[in-house]
Amino acid sequence: MKLGILDQVPMPNGSDPSQVLKQTVELAQFAEKLGYERYWLAEHHNTNGLLSAAPEILMTRIASATDHIRVGSGGILLPQYSPLKVAETFKTMESLFPGRVDLGVGRSPGGTERTRAALTDGRESMLSEFPRHLDELNGFMRNELPKNHPYRMVKVTPRGGESPPIWLLGLSPRSGRLAAERGIGLTFGHFINPDKWESTLRTYRENFKPGVLPEPAVTVCVFVVCAETQEEAEKLALSQDRWLLSIEKGDSQLHDPDSIKLPSDQLDQIRHNRRRTLIGTPEKIRDGLMELSRRYETDDFLLITNIYSHEAKKRSYELIAEAFR
């Protein structure tokens, strides 16, 4: 099993951002020692608790503090940026840390319409241009823009050398087809919405054309909370349950499970949210990931543990790593 971590860098209520970011670097170092293969950073804006607004900076900091774990973005909000700028940023990182960089991109607007407008300085929405942006990003990084392209003579800096692999974050057959036609990897967001998994992965695999990658590659992102006992895991997961309920209302900070009383009128929503989550002992998490591996036909997973205690989060990842040894 290939295990990695997708970190949204959530801030516990009452914490200091500097402290949380230092703990993020510490967690990446710890993950490397445990044998995790990847450490990806999400991108979120205009939140009160998700500190991953600049994944490129966090990636560089983490890569500098580790030796071999791959660092990546999960993912860059490509419609909000110039493909050339993204290409140059990631080519620079690849030159600094050869063979250790992953470029995950997504079509998300990055938040509310007002947030999107602030990110683009009022530029019109470019979500419909995502396929073109994806082609230009790949073209810039590999010097493969068509001869008639208006930016053909613009060369990415630094020139030459290897380019990081591109992964498309997706939830739907449309995303699966887009990744397949470009010959890039597909990162499926089970932690966001697993409902269309079958049609998405079938579309991706049936339509894949060798390009950046010679064959299809799927990684799956899933929420996990692990502890020595089921009871302890359930208690730790309360902060994630609360977080999933609150994030839609604008509160993305994590709260202490000892202070949480989940509203009885939202228990159905909590149960629905837990379809995206594995909660339990190391054996239960291992069995759950093995079952997802059979379903998705991949052994490549990115795990997300959004709980209040930093030490409990580290222990959760440690127990899972030990369960697969």
Side-chain angles (χ1 to χ4, degrees), residues 36-248:
Y36 282 85
E37 298 195 13
R38 288 196 183 100
Y39 200 97
W40 283 18
L41 286 306
E43 180 176 354
H44 295 278
H45 299 277
N46 192 27
T47 75
N48 73 337
L50 298 179
L51 304 185
S52 54
E56 309 94 325
I57 294 175
L58 288 173
M59 286 173 61
T60 303
R61 175 69 182 94
I62 286 170
S64 298
T66 53
D67 296 319
H68 56 79
I69 195 170
R70 296 188 68 89
V71 292
S73 56
I76 298 299
L77 308 178
L78 189 55
Q80 319 313 331
Y81 309 117
S82 154
L84 173 62
K85 179 60 176 176
V86 175
E88 292 193 321
T89 297
F90 277 79
K91 285 282 285 189
T92 299
M93 279 196 283
E94 179 66 26
S95 296
L96 287 169
F97 309 103
R100 294 184 58 200
V101 177
D102 292 323
L103 171 51
V105 298
R107 185 179 173 273
S108 170
T112 64
E113 178 58 28
R114 188 181 296 251
T115 303
R116 186 207 63 78
L119 278 172
T120 62
D121 195 27
R123 179 167 52 88
E124 226 175 283
S125 175
M126 300 288 282
L127 293 181
S128 62
E129 297 293 313
F130 183 64
R132 175 177 66 82
H133 286 163
L134 194 57
D135 290 338
E136 288 186 359
L137 173 62
N138 186 52
F140 277 126
M141 287 206 300
R142 291 166 174 79
N143 193 25
E144 294 177 355
L145 288 174
K147 291 182 179 180
N148 62 347
H149 196 283
Y151 304 146
R152 171 71 177 178
M153 300 307 294
V154 179
K155 305 299 181 184
V156 71
T157 302
R159 300 185 186 183
E162 296 297 320
S163 296
I166 299 175
W167 294 80
L168 175 62
L169 281 65
L171 298 169
S172 68
R174 179 176 65 175
S175 299
R177 183 176 294 276
L178 185 59
E181 291 175 347
R182 271 64 182 178
I184 60 178
L186 178 67
T187 301
F188 184 74
H190 179 99
F191 76 106
I192 300 174
N193 187 344
D195 289 343
K196 296 182 179 179
W197 71 270
E198 192 168 14
S199 56
T200 299
L201 297 189
R202 183 176 63 249
T203 299
Y204 174 65
R205 290 181 170 124
E206 289 180 354
N207 294 278
F208 188 86
K209 300 175 182 177
V212 176
L213 299 177
E215 58 187 23
V218 173
T219 185
V220 176
C221 301
V222 58
F223 283 125
V224 295
V225 179
C226 186
E228 280 88 351
T229 68
Q230 186 69 33
E231 181 181 14
E232 178 64 16
E234 294 284 350
K235 180 179 179 180
L236 292 173
L238 287 175
S239 58
Q240 184 164 278
D241 290 332
R242 163 74 154 75
W243 181 80
L244 287 170
L245 290 175
S246 301
I247 196 168
E248 297 178 359

Side-chain angles (χ1 to χ4, degrees), residues 257-274:
D258 288 331
S259 68
I260 293 174
K261 292 184 179 179
L262 296 174
S264 58
D265 62 342
Q266 292 187 291
L267 293 180
D268 286 344
Q269 183 62 44
I270 292 168
R271 281 191 288 268
H272 183 74
N273 286 338
R274 284 197 171 196

